[in-house]
Amino acid sequence: SSCNFGFLKQLCVFLCLRLTTDMRFAPFSCPERGSWIQGSQDKDFSLMLQESLQPAVCLHRYPRSQIEVNVMVLENSGSVLAHAVTCASMALADAGIEMYDLVLGCSLRQDGASYVVDPTYPEENSWKSGGGEKRGGLTVAFLPSLNQVSGLQSDGEMAEETLTAGIRTCIEGCYKLYPVVQQALMKAVRQALVDTRVV
Amino acid sequence: MATAQVSEAEKVYILHGIRDDLRVDGRGCEDYRHMEVETDVVSNTDGSAKVTLGHTAVLVGVKAEIGKPRPMIPDEGYLEFFVDCSANATPEFEGRGGEELGTELSNTLYKVFNNQHSLDLRSLCISPGEHCWVLYVDVLLLQCDGNLYDAISVAIKAALFNTKIPKVHISSDDEGGKEIELSDDPYDCMRLDVENVPCMVTLCKIGHRHVVDVTLQEKACSVASLVISVTHKGVITCTRKVGRGSLDPESICEMTEAGKRVGKALHSPLMKLLQQEESLGKKRQKVGFLG
């Protein structure tokens, strides 16, 4: 599946017991040119992606097989992990892999007393200058109909109340995203039916 | 991560015990195993520490080198982390087996320190835009019996406390360039303020309860854990969900609260211990296999 979230474009190819994930950034995806060789941060993203997707896939239905999920980020304009999770779970659904629920990702940037949901690249990185507490970022991967958090990562400095409030806000964001993703999948299924009938 | 083979009957036994706040080794759900911390164990480093938590052993060495500051932040030094999971810890780490775990650990460490207050990076600046101290923190896993994050964070805090960075004098030479002179006196050094360095607490969800400081056996019964890094003031600098399972939002709130409580309580005994060890000075006996 290919997802466009504003200027963030991602291509998720689902190739085919084990769920392995690989997340790569194209060198032209970020404002500074990256390299084709996977750095340690890319590997960490791949690991977080795997941890977020694994609870949702019915792995016991596919014994003695391996599911490989490859994500290629074409353009990074912020919240890349959250959108990679959503894109990957849509790809798994599109491929017909049995899942307990869709996994949706949502991220948040806290700056002092205010926060922004789904931050852009400048919003994610502008806080490095200047001090102050309660500055940080949070990414949540959520299964809406099961009410389970399958992925969580945060950095920066936040009080415990701020963190839990941020998690709740991200969960609300995932609930808002759910119908949109469902409609997109239904549209794809209908289109596929139409195509097969025409042929 | 290293895993232990646990039968279904053992899992049920561990689960029922934890439900009644009684673990296999007699601890409560929020109790740590016996922890030993020793600093200044490796003489070739600028700071080092070894932490033994139950059967988990971690060795951290800090080396300070002069380098160029990052272009975006010219008036601060920085830290580089590297975690080595060698085959000494467990046979599963042979070859490239431990690479994935090492990447996960070092990336989490970058996130833990990725804020303004954990360490005063401005004190590591020598001349803005040109020279700064870069602290290379190398973590070596000697033995793995669960709860690596906690042991590593305590070891890093102890090693940074022990780090002695030589004082520098900048003079301009004849051609107008800058010359850096390191002080020859081994006692003329700068120490780091590690008051705000966070400690990580790993909470594993086993059944309906969360447990601190799990052994490998207990970890085999859990599907998901939450790693939280907490400063002495209770500020959370990094969280990360680890493991193949999922957690529900109420559990996460409970675990965050418990993690903050446990993490906060970890700092003052640790600082007291480090200061006590420092005050022993030359009379200190080196224990352990590096003594």
Side-chain angles (χ1 to χ4, degrees):
Chain A
S1 76
S2 155
C3 291
N4 289 353
F5 288 90
F7 289 112
L8 172 63
K9 295 185 186 73
Q10 285 176 122
L11 197 65
C12 184
V13 173
F14 161 68
L15 286 178
C16 68
L17 232 203
R18 275 188 67 211
L19 177 80
T20 54
T21 55
D22 189 36
M23 182 153 159
R24 282 176 195 261
F25 286 74
F28 43 79
S29 58
C30 301
E32 307 94 35
R33 186 187 179 272
S35 81
W36 275 113
I37 303 167
Q38 213 183 23
S40 71
Q41 214 196 17
D42 297 358
K43 287 191 191 136
D44 198 39
F45 274 129
S46 305
L47 198 63
M48 286 194 275
L49 184 65
Q50 184 184 18
E51 282 175 354
S52 306
L53 292 174
Q54 206 152 13
V57 177
C58 302
L59 286 173
H60 60 278
R61 295 288 213 162
Y62 304 96
R64 287 178 289 176
S65 48
Q66 178 167 312
I67 303 176
E68 263 186 54
V69 179
N70 289 317
V71 178
M72 169 69 83
V73 179
L74 302 173
E75 194 173 330
N76 177 10
S77 65
S79 306
V80 68
L81 182 62
H83 297 310
V85 166
T86 311
C87 191
S89 82
M90 283 172 74
L92 285 167
D94 189 45
I97 295 286
E98 289 191 40
M99 299 205 286
Y100 293 111
D101 193 5
L102 283 172
V103 189
L104 300 175
C106 183
S107 65
L108 177 141
R109 199 84 212 161
Q110 182 88 29
D111 190 353
S114 61
Y115 59 84
V116 282
V117 175
D118 191 20
T120 59
Y121 195 83
E123 282 168 350
E124 272 181 347
N125 294 315
S126 67
W127 63 285
K128 283 191 180 130
S129 52
E133 291 210 350
K134 283 218 288 188
R135 279 167 173 267
L138 170 65
T139 303
V140 173
F142 189 61
L143 284 79
S145 53
L146 296 175
N147 194 34
Q148 292 278 307
V149 171
S150 65
L152 170 65
Q153 72 106 358
S154 86
D155 67 350
E157 291 176 279
M158 287 187 274
E160 185 227 329
E161 300 80 26
T162 321
L163 184 70
T164 32
I167 294 174
R168 269 186 231 116
T169 312
C170 284
I171 289 176
E172 276 167 26
C174 290
Y175 276 123
K176 284 188 202 156
L177 197 55
Y178 200 35
V180 178
V181 169
Q182 281 177 318
Q183 273 176 24
L185 283 170
M186 301 257 280
K187 203 165 135 185
V189 169
R190 284 200 199 101
Q191 189 64 40
L193 273 174
V194 164
D195 290 342
T196 48
R197 268 191 217 140
V198 164
V199 168
Chain B
M1 178 79 90
T3 46
Q5 304 285 353
V6 176
S7 70
E8 285 302 321
E10 279 181 296
K11 277 189 194 168
V12 169
Y13 177 69
I14 292 174
L15 217 75
H16 285 179
I18 285 173
R19 200 178 53 191
D20 299 329
D21 198 20
L22 192 64
R23 293 158 75 172
V24 172
D25 47 12
R27 288 183 282 156
C29 286
E30 290 185 5
D31 293 334
Y32 272 95
R33 285 170 286 183
H34 175 72
M35 199 189 300
E36 281 179 19
V37 180
E38 194 185 347
T39 59
D40 202 19
V41 284
V42 182
S43 50
N44 274 333
T45 56
D46 295 304
S48 59
K50 177 168 170 278
V51 167
T52 317
L53 178 60
H55 286 294
T56 303
V58 167
L59 178 63
V60 171
V62 177
K63 283 190 90 78
E65 288 182 14
I66 298 182
K68 218 169 148 57
R70 295 210 165 117
M72 306 290 273
I73 322 164
D75 58 348
E76 286 180 5
Y78 56 96
L79 287 95
E80 292 278 357
F81 294 97
F82 185 72
V83 179
D84 182 45
C85 303
S86 73
N88 290 322
T90 158
E92 286 175 22
F93 291 161
E94 200 186 13
R96 298 190 74 174
E99 213 178 289
E100 210 181 81
L101 179 62
T103 318
E104 188 189 317
L105 289 165
S106 49
N107 277 304
T108 312
L109 289 171
Y110 276 114
K111 288 204 193 91
V112 167
F113 283 86
N114 187 20
N115 57 68
Q116 298 284 328
H117 298 119
S118 289
L119 207 58
D120 185 16
L121 295 172
R122 280 175 201 239
S123 63
L124 297 176
C125 176
I126 302 173
S127 56
E130 289 171 7
H131 301 108
C132 71
W133 284 110
V134 181
L135 295 178
Y136 291 97
V137 180
D138 296 299
V139 180
L140 186 63
L141 293 186
L142 300 170
Q143 225 184 330
C144 182
D145 188 29
N147 209 18
L148 291 171
Y149 281 102
D150 300 32
I152 289 175
S153 67
V154 169
I156 289 181
K157 184 160 179 157
L160 288 172
F161 176 81
N162 179 240
T163 304
K164 299 179 174 69
I165 302 177
K167 287 221 175 103
V168 286
H169 304 285
I170 310 172
S171 53
S172 14
D173 61 11
D174 303 324
E175 285 111 45
K178 288 205 180 137
E179 219 176 75
I180 299 183
E181 277 170 41
L182 288 175
S183 159
D184 285 331
D185 182 5
Y187 293 104
D188 181 23
C189 54
M190 179 175 78
R191 301 294 290 269
L192 296 166
D193 177 22
V194 296
E195 197 71 39
N196 279 320
V197 169
C199 275
M200 291 196 265
V201 178
T202 308
L203 293 119
C204 271
K205 180 105 188 280
I206 300 182
H208 290 288
R209 297 200 62 157
H210 47 263
V211 178
V212 169
D213 190 20
V214 285
T215 59
L216 282 181
Q217 265 194 338
E218 287 167 336
K219 196 165 168 73
C221 307
S222 129
V223 282
S225 338
L226 195 64
V227 179
I228 302 174
S229 114
V230 188
T231 64
H232 73 287
K233 286 187 191 151
V235 174
I236 297 178
T237 66
C238 169
T239 60
R240 194 186 165 128
K241 175 240 155 199
V242 183
R244 294 194 201 149
S246 57
L247 297 162
D248 52 77
E250 291 77 31
S251 295
I252 292 186
C253 294
E254 275 172 26
M255 283 157 89
T256 319
E257 202 191 337
K260 176 182 158 187
R261 198 171 2 119
V262 173
K264 253 174 109 168
L266 195 53
H267 286 273
S268 66
L270 179 63
M271 286 306 291
K272 229 187 297 180
L273 179 72
L274 290 172
Q275 275 152 3
Q276 208 178 13
E277 199 196 10
E278 175 93 8
S279 65
L280 285 174
K282 294 217 169 129
K283 288 183 248 159
R284 187 169 72 119
Q285 283 177 317
K286 292 209 175 194
V287 291
F289 68 86
L290 289 166

